[in-house]
Amino acid sequence: MKKYVEFSDEALECLLTGKAVVGTLKMDLMTRQVSFNMFNRKPRHRAKDLILHETTSGWLKKSVKKFKIFVSANNRMERERAATEILRQAKELADHLKNTKSIEEIMNEI
């Protein structure tokens, strides 16, 4: 007795182009027919972060939901000097964020 697997046209098209198809196989117990359900996986498209300010070894970025600060210090520095440098850069970035106006604020002033 031969068993056949039912594929959707979309899954068959992906197979014929050489792409891998991810999904589940299901057997109907009454008809003993096996069917394949392809997962609809779509890539995520997220907006790029906007760089607001850069320091010697750090940056301030704005994403859709958050402001992001990254600061680093050279490993060859003493710990105390590295900690001071990190705090200085973080303060500079935070001050930049506090003191700059957004586009909405500028448009409201006009």
Side-chain angles (χ1 to χ4, degrees):
M1 182 197 301
K2 292 186 178 183
K3 300 281 185 189
Y4 296 100
V5 178
E6 284 184 24
F7 286 98
S8 67
D9 293 338
E10 192 177 346
L12 189 59
E13 189 176 313
C14 286
L15 283 173
L16 292 175
T17 58
K19 294 181 182 175
V21 180
V22 181
T24 58
L25 284 174
K26 177 183 159 191
M27 178 187 265
D28 187 1
L29 295 177
M30 298 296 274
T31 61
R32 307 297 264 178
Q33 182 68 31
V34 178
S35 61
F36 178 76
N37 183 22
M38 184 173 104
F39 295 150
N40 266 339
R41 298 214 172 131
K42 296 181 181 167
R44 293 181 185 172
H45 296 288
R46 73 174 188 92
K48 288 254 185 188
D49 294 344
L50 176 68
I51 297 177
L52 300 177
H53 189 69
E54 286 189 58
T55 61
T56 54
S57 59
W59 45 253
L60 169 67
K61 290 183 180 181
K62 179 183 178 187
S63 70
V64 175
K65 295 181 181 179
K66 298 178 181 182
F67 289 104
K68 301 175 185 179
I69 289 181
F70 173 79
V71 180
S72 65
N74 202 343
N75 206 13
R76 288 181 243 131
M77 290 183 184
E78 309 171 355
R79 278 199 267 170
E80 190 173 319
R81 185 171 165 222
T84 305
E85 180 66 18
I86 288 173
L87 287 174
R88 184 191 66 75
Q89 287 187 38
K91 184 176 181 335
E92 178 184 340
L93 293 170
D95 288 344
H96 179 80
L97 180 61
K98 188 180 356 178
N99 295 330
T100 56
K101 294 181 180 179
S102 67
I103 294 172
E104 292 83 18
E105 292 171 336
I106 294 171
M107 294 302 286
N108 288 338
E109 289 178 359
I110 294 178

